Amino acid sequence: MTTLLLVRHGLTAMTGPVLAGWTPGVSLDERGRAQVRDLAARLAPVPLAAVVSSPLDRCVQTAEAVAAGHAEPIEKVELDERFGEVRYGDWTGRPLKELAEEPLWRVVQAHPSAARFPGEDGEALAAAQHRAVAAVRDWNARIAAEHGPDASYLVCSHGDIIKAVVADALGLHLDQFQRIQAAPASLTVIRYTELRPFLVRLNDTGGGVQDLLPPPPGDGDAGGEGTKDGATGAEGDAPVGGGA
């Protein structure tokens, strides 16, 4: 089961009041740097086959902090533009209070699968989800091929992209993705099996990571998502009764 750790970048001066989008040069502020230091310390013992990032500065800085703080420092952060922020077009750089008065705002809230942001470089939310999910599938296959089927890797991305990936993993229509939250510097974990993905945690900003560590030798059947023994069925089966 390939495990994906999805991390949202830490806070910037624009996070919250302004839609930063692909605005260049948006870096972590002091709050964000403190957040990612804590996150890096928390994730240090989790084995990671790779650290991948959106190419935007705030994500690269977050990913580099995690890679550098790892128990076995990861020298290279891979960049993948498909994990970049939604291209908000003419909405980029505008205050959210102002955008909330736009007719498109209600479409984004209630029917996001139909939303396309205005301007020459504006992107449809459905297209953003498609590219991000395609990237996850490509990285899942690459990580499994290079590091084995039980490897874990980390992707640092943006709130709407993470929410879209989670919606896909849960089998939700994109119109439901606004029900999901991904706070700055939060951790979301998805395990992918042949049968289905399992959402292991969502929007975690301080929990322990013991369940993300590999089991001790000889304890391979201790997990709860389904194993290959006769007790819980084939790999990818959900345990009846909730599991241990």
Side-chain angles (χ1 to χ4, degrees):
M1 296 183 289
T2 304
T3 301
L4 167 62
L5 282 67
L6 278 168
V7 167
R8 186 181 172 191
H9 62 81
L11 284 165
T12 75
M14 296 179 74
T15 306
V18 177
L19 189 62
W22 282 75
T23 302
V26 178
S27 298
L28 300 177
D29 61 16
E30 184 176 345
R31 301 169 301 164
R33 290 190 293 273
Q35 286 179 320
V36 301
R37 283 195 299 269
D38 291 343
L39 177 66
R42 191 154 60 98
L43 294 180
V46 180
L48 294 174
V51 174
V52 188
S53 178
S54 154
L56 295 173
D57 289 350
R58 55 196 185 272
C59 278
V60 174
Q61 291 164 356
T62 301
E64 287 179 342
V66 172
H70 201 255
E72 298 180 5
I74 298 165
E75 295 183 0
K76 183 180 179 181
V77 172
E78 305 271 2
L79 301 184
D80 192 328
E81 190 165 308
R82 295 174 295 177
F83 291 121
E85 179 64 284
V86 178
R87 294 188 180 273
Y88 295 113
D90 293 347
W91 277 27
T92 302
R94 293 176 60 188
L96 291 180
K97 285 185 178 180
E98 180 182 299
L99 293 173
E101 303 300 321
E102 296 278 354
L104 181 61
W105 181 268
R106 296 309 307 163
V107 180
V108 171
Q109 297 301 315
H111 194 26
S113 65
R116 176 180 289 276
F117 293 96
E120 290 186 5
D121 63 343
E123 184 177 30
L125 278 169
Q129 181 188 45
H130 177 77
R131 63 168 161 87
V133 170
V136 168
R137 290 174 179 158
D138 288 348
W139 277 99
N140 284 353
R142 174 177 168 179
I143 294 298
E146 295 179 359
H147 300 277
D150 296 326
S152 300
Y153 71 105
L154 182 145
V155 169
C156 184
S157 189
H158 307 266
D160 280 347
I161 297 298
I162 292 171
K163 289 161 56 177
V165 171
V166 171
D168 172 80
L170 291 175
L172 296 177
H173 194 282
L174 184 60
D175 286 348
Q176 310 302 321
F177 100 128
Q178 297 291 26
R179 302 182 182 201
I180 299 165
Q181 289 190 334
S186 64
L187 173 66
T188 293
V189 181
I190 305 170
R191 284 200 174 110
Y192 288 87
T193 74
E194 288 188 10
L195 182 60
R196 63 167 68 85
F198 289 91
L199 181 62
V200 177
R201 64 178 67 192
L202 175 67
N203 196 33
D204 168 25
T205 56
V209 296
Q210 190 64 32
D211 61 314
L212 303 179
L213 303 180
D219 195 28
D221 294 338
E225 281 81 17
T227 65
K228 294 181 178 179
D229 65 11
T232 55
E235 181 180 12
D237 283 358
V240 177

